C-alpha cells in the first residue's frame, strides 16, 4: 500500500504550487529584499567624502520611486563606456535648475552653492574639449560633479547625465581602506 504522499497526483500538486509561488518569490527576492549593493571605490574623485579604497552600500531601488535631489551621492552607469562601468559622484543640479560654473564655483539658480565637501576649484581647465554646462538642466537629466574637483571625470566632461543612468543612491561606508570597519552615513 502506497503512502498518501507517494501518489502521482501529490507530486503534480507540489509542482503546480511551486510554479504558482515562483513569481511571488521572484518579486520578494529581487525587488524587495535585494535592494542594496556593495561597491568598492577605486578612484579619488570623491575625496574627502569617500576615499580610494572605501567600500560602501547603495540603495539600488531609490530612484525607482524618487527623483534625484541636489546633494545626493549617486551611483550611475557611465554614459561614455558601453561596458556598464559604474561611477559615484554628487548630484549638484536637477532638471529645471539654471546651472553654471564661474569664478571657480558652482552656481545653481543664480546662487552660489555652499559646498563644504568640494575639494579644489570648480572649472574646466583639466579638460581639452570645452564643455560649458551653463544653462537650464534639460528634463530627465542631472548635473553630477565629484567632490575632488581637480581629479574627476564628471558632467564637465560628458555633459548632462540622463536620469535613467542612475542606478542607486549611496547610503553609507561600511569599510574604509584607511580607517578599517566603520559606519559613516553619507547624508547630504
Amino acid at each position: 500500500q502506497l503512502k498518501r504522499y507517494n501518489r502521482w497526483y501529490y507530486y503534480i500538486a507540489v509542482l503546480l504550487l511551486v510554479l504558482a509561488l515562483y513569481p511571488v518569490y521572484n518579486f520578494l527576492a529581487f525587488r524587495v529584499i535585494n535592494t542594496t549593493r556593495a561597491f568598492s571605490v577605486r578612484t579619488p574623485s570623491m575625496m574627502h567624502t569617500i576615499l580610494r579604497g572605501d567600500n560602501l552600500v547603495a540603495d539600488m531601488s531609490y530612484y525607482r520611486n524618487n527623483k534625484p535631489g541636489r546633494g545626493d551621492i549617486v551611483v550611475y552607469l557611465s554614459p561614455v563606456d558601453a561596458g556598464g562601468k559604474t561611477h559615484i559622484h554628487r548630484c549638484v543640479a536637477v532638471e529645471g535648475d539654471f546651472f553654471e560654473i564661474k569664478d571657480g564655483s558652482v552656481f545653481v539658480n543664480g546662487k552660489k552653492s555652499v559646498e563644504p565637501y568640494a575639494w579644489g576649484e570648480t572649472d574646466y581647465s583639466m579638460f581639452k574639449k570645452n564643455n560649458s554646462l551653463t544653462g537650464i538642466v534639460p528634463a530627465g537629466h542631472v548635473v553630477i560633479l565629484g567632490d575632488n574637483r581637480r581629479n574627476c571625470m564628471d558632467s564637465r566632461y560628458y555633459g548632462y547625465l540622463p536620469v535613467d543612468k542612475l542606478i542607486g543612491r549611496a547610503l553609507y561606508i561600511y569599510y574604509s581602506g584607511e580607517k578599517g570597519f566603520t559606519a559613516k552615513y553619507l547624508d547630504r
Side-chain angles (χ1 to χ4, degrees):
Q1 181 73 10
L2 290 176
K3 301 248 186 215
R4 182 172 160 223
Y5 56 83
N6 281 338
R7 309 228 186 256
W8 67 270
Y9 53 83
Y10 177 79
Y11 292 100
I12 297 294
V14 169
L15 179 66
L16 291 174
L17 182 64
V18 168
L19 290 174
L21 291 179
Y22 181 74
V24 174
Y25 162 77
N26 193 26
F27 174 78
L28 290 175
F30 297 106
R31 294 288 183 194
V32 177
I33 297 169
N34 192 18
T35 61
T36 60
R37 181 174 162 203
F39 290 91
S40 180
V41 178
R42 306 218 186 287
T43 67
S45 66
M46 284 296 290
M47 282 178 62
H48 290 287
T49 306
I50 301 171
L51 306 175
R52 183 185 308 190
D54 282 356
N55 293 280
L56 58 94
V57 172
D59 180 353
M60 304 304 283
S61 66
Y62 186 79
Y63 295 115
R64 287 185 209 151
N65 303 317
N66 299 290
K67 289 187 176 188
R70 283 185 227 108
D72 285 359
I73 298 177
V74 300
V75 179
Y76 64 95
L77 295 172
S78 171
V80 294
D81 178 22
K85 189 174 181 182
T86 57
H87 297 275
I88 181 165
H89 290 116
R90 189 179 301 270
C91 179
V92 295
V94 297
E95 66 179 60
D97 284 346
F98 182 82
F99 176 83
E100 72 179 316
I101 295 173
K102 69 179 180 184
D103 302 327
S105 297
V106 170
F107 288 79
V108 177
N109 297 326
K111 295 179 184 174
K112 183 177 177 181
S113 293
V114 178
E115 299 180 303
Y117 45 77
W119 194 45
E121 265 192 3
T122 307
D123 59 24
Y124 297 97
S125 63
M126 69 180 271
F127 304 107
K128 291 182 182 176
K129 60 182 184 176
N130 187 11
N131 279 349
S132 177
L133 290 175
T134 301
I136 295 176
V137 180
H141 290 77
V142 293
V143 175
I144 49 102
L145 297 175
D147 289 356
N148 184 356
R149 302 291 163 84
R150 287 285 186 189
N151 189 6
C152 186
M153 301 294 275
D154 49 30
S155 284
R156 294 171 294 166
Y157 177 73
Y158 44 73
Y160 300 112
L161 180 72
V163 172
D164 64 357
K165 293 284 185 182
L166 300 180
I167 60 171
R169 180 176 181 225
L171 297 176
Y172 61 89
I173 298 169
Y174 67 90
Y175 182 82
S176 174
E178 291 186 6
K179 300 174 187 167
F181 287 100
T182 182
K184 179 183 176 185
Y185 288 89
L186 298 169
D187 295 340
R188 290 187 190 196

